[in-house]
Amino acid sequence: MIAIGCDHGGFQLKQEIMQHLEARGERFYDFGTYTEESCDYPDYGKAVAHAVTSGEYDRGILICGTGIGISIAANKVQGIRAAVCGDCFSAEATRLHNDANILALGARVVGPGLALKIVDTFLDTPFSNDERHLRRIGKIES
């Protein structure tokens, strides 16, 4: 199950991603925002992050204008490894090496076509479970 959220800058891209998730047969929950009215990205970043750390959701997807602010907010929650990705290589690498549990996207940085490919890469790439990556993640968590 996927937790998804955005601020006003990411609203339109979130709508396209949710349609794509439905087409993939993915189960998800939309944590908002539900309009393009100005709002504060930390509220949505933290809501998705807490949903993921609760164990109810396997991964999260967050969208704001750049992906940066909302990922910073999410990364304040213990146990979250949110990565801003603007390309498929980074999405694959952050799953393989960092076991990232939240993907952050910048709606003003990537277009919808690329964003959907990044989402697919992030969701379809498993963690490598390599000892050196586990060691490094342990150092992040401590």
Side-chain angles (χ1 to χ4, degrees):
M1 184 100 149
I2 299 164
I4 189 167
C6 68
D7 72 354
H8 56 281
F11 178 76
Q12 287 300 323
L13 183 56
K14 182 185 73 171
Q15 300 307 111
E16 295 191 44
I17 291 171
M18 290 191 306
Q19 286 181 334
H20 184 69
L21 293 174
E22 284 179 359
R24 280 178 53 109
E26 301 283 352
R27 292 180 38 216
F28 63 90
Y29 181 79
D30 180 4
F31 282 81
T33 192
Y34 307 110
T35 72
E36 290 184 278
E37 284 186 44
S38 183
C39 62
D40 299 330
Y41 60 81
D43 298 337
Y44 303 98
K46 288 183 178 182
V48 167
H50 286 295
V52 171
T53 59
S54 77
E56 188 175 349
Y57 297 86
D58 303 311
R59 293 197 203 149
I61 299 172
L62 291 169
I63 310 110
C64 69
T66 63
I68 297 168
I70 206 160
S71 70
I72 290 170
N75 278 319
K76 294 291 184 181
V77 175
Q78 182 71 31
I80 290 300
R81 290 174 305 284
V84 181
C85 296
D87 58 82
C88 293
F89 175 79
S90 297
E92 179 180 34
T94 200
R95 285 291 306 132
L96 286 170
H97 298 183
N98 311 121
D99 197 17
N101 48 15
I102 294 181
L103 169 65
L105 295 165
R108 297 179 184 133
V109 179
V110 297
L114 177 56
L116 299 181
K117 290 177 185 175
I118 293 168
V119 166
D120 287 345
T121 301
F122 183 81
L123 295 177
D124 295 340
T125 304
F127 176 52
S128 68
N129 220 21
D130 182 278
E131 185 177 315
R132 65 191 163 126
H133 298 309
L134 286 166
R135 181 180 69 246
R136 292 169 185 161
I137 291 169
K139 289 181 177 186
I140 291 169
E141 296 294 322
S142 62

